[in-house]
Amino acid sequence: MSYTKKDFIYEGKAKQVYTTEDPNLVIVYYKDDATAFNAQKRGTVADKGEMNNKISTLIFNYLIEKGIQTHYIETLNEREQLVKKVDIIPIEMVVRNYVAGSMAQRLGLEEGAKSPVTIFDICYKKDELGDPLINDHHAVLLGAATYDELKLMYAMTDKINAALIDLFMKANLILIDFKIEFGKDSEGNIILADEISPDTCRLWDKDTLKKLDKDRFRRDLGEVSEAYHEVYNRLQQALKK
Ligand code: ADP
Ligand code: UDP
């Protein structure tokens, strides 16, 4: 059975979501639009949608092989993926292996130091509030997740982090930090959803420490599209090894 986009459901900052012939499946369309700083900075990055679709595809397939339950079903074309429809849990799960970004600012630390422990930050996914940093108790208060659900999400995230560190290392990239989202499928299972790409990960070249991720857009570093192409090419090579 081949699936096609039916009704438009949602337009986010980087993707659009459409219904399909099957009520339990949706099509995600990856755009070239880029935003940063809670959408105060806007632009487009040539080929970003195509690259993120391809990079996410490689990563979802890799994680599925490692036993992670995900929403991913199949890549339909250069910009679209068929995925299981989920009710997104309104929590952004951020993992930090190195100090960078908002944590460096908040704690007055220099970017680039390796953290002796894996740091898990959770943010409440609410654009109007600017996705504030919360803790487990806030998540329960907000009805975003139960303590048991959080425990499962942390365990899955830890496994995902270990697998991704390995994969990116094979591509000569350091996984500095990243954000993932989980959702509940039609049977109530908590599965990995959304995307994993240079929009949602900080990736530094292992030798030169060159940034190969969305920070090139956020910080006007130039060669943004080139960085996304580079990550895709390196992952393709790494997965052949
Ligand atoms: P944002 O809403 O943060 O601007 P995007 O532009 O990436 O994000 O839009 C994609 C939206 O689709 C996000 O809100 C994301 O949580 C949601 N989403 C991701 N995967 C699924 C899925 N399998 N089912 C339903 N919604 C999803
Ligand atoms: N991140 C993301 N979406 C968000 C916020 C963060 O994908 O809405 C990713 C970001 O790309 C980085 C990690 O999560 O890899 C940690 O981001 P941080 O909290 O440092 O925030 P930022 O510096 O992006 O504001």
Side-chain angles (χ1 to χ4, degrees):
M1 162 109 198
S2 68
Y3 295 94
T4 48
K5 300 203 287 286
K6 293 288 173 202
D7 298 322
F8 168 82
I9 313 179
Y10 176 80
E11 172 130 27
K13 297 182 286 285
K15 303 190 285 307
Q16 295 168 342
V17 184
Y18 294 86
T19 60
T20 66
E21 292 79 357
D22 183 330
N24 291 326
L25 302 178
V26 290
I27 289 175
V28 174
Y29 175 93
Y30 284 74
K31 303 189 286 179
D32 286 347
D33 298 351
T35 64
F37 314 119
N38 205 20
Q40 283 165 14
K41 180 182 170 92
R42 289 170 186 274
T44 57
V45 175
D47 304 335
K48 181 170 82 72
E50 193 181 325
M51 288 301 116
N52 281 354
N53 181 25
K54 290 182 166 158
I55 292 166
S56 252
T57 295
L58 293 178
I59 293 178
F60 277 123
N61 278 318
Y62 168 81
L63 291 175
I64 289 164
E65 258 183 46
K66 300 275 169 195
I68 304 289
Q69 306 279 342
T70 85
H71 74 162
Y72 179 80
I73 309 238
E74 125 182 64
T75 298
L76 300 175
N77 55 51
E78 288 191 333
R79 289 190 181 258
E80 293 172 2
Q81 277 176 23
L82 182 69
V83 302
K84 283 186 199 167
K85 183 182 200 305
V86 297
D87 288 327
I88 289 285
I89 295 171
I91 290 176
E92 298 199 331
M93 175 69 79
V94 172
V95 181
R96 303 175 186 279
N97 297 309
Y98 286 71
V99 174
S102 68
M103 188 183 73
Q105 281 199 328
R106 194 167 51 246
L107 302 183
L109 298 172
E110 276 221 26
E111 279 201 319
K114 188 174 191 323
S115 171
V117 291
T118 309
I119 294 167
F120 300 86
D121 280 338
I122 60 172
C123 298
Y124 182 37
K125 196 172 147 62
K126 190 120 190 133
D127 280 340
E128 307 90 281
L129 300 177
D131 298 343
L133 182 64
I134 58 170
N135 63 29
D136 289 14
H137 310 293
H138 298 148
V140 173
L141 166 73
L142 290 162
T146 65
Y147 286 110
D148 283 346
E149 288 169 345
L150 287 163
K151 199 172 161 195
L152 177 66
M153 286 160 63
Y154 284 119
M156 284 176 76
T157 303
D158 202 33
K159 199 167 161 189
I160 292 165
N161 184 38
L164 291 182
I165 290 174
D166 268 10
L167 172 64
F168 285 120
M169 195 47 72
K170 288 196 186 96
N172 214 42
L173 292 166
I174 305 173
L175 177 59
I176 301 289
D177 58 26
F178 64 97
K179 181 271 301 180
I180 48 179
E181 295 180 21
F182 292 93
K184 282 188 197 165
D185 70 10
S186 58
E187 288 160 4
N189 302 306
I190 293 185
I191 61 177
L192 177 66
D194 204 46
E195 69 175 283
I196 301 183
S197 73
D199 270 13
T200 62
C201 301
R202 285 198 170 89
L203 300 165
W204 292 8
D205 179 84
K206 190 164 162 286
D207 300 319
T208 64
L209 304 183
K210 180 174 177 179
K211 294 175 174 50
L212 291 170
D213 56 58
K214 197 171 139 186
D215 272 346
R216 301 204 73 79
F217 168 78
R218 290 189 190 99
R219 303 178 188 188
D220 296 320
L221 300 176
E223 297 179 333
V224 189
S225 178
E226 289 81 351
Y228 284 72
H229 279 270
E230 175 83 25
V231 170
Y232 174 56
N233 291 337
R234 286 199 201 187
L235 280 180
Q236 263 191 317
Q237 289 304 316
L239 285 161
K240 280 186 196 148
K241 284 178 196 160

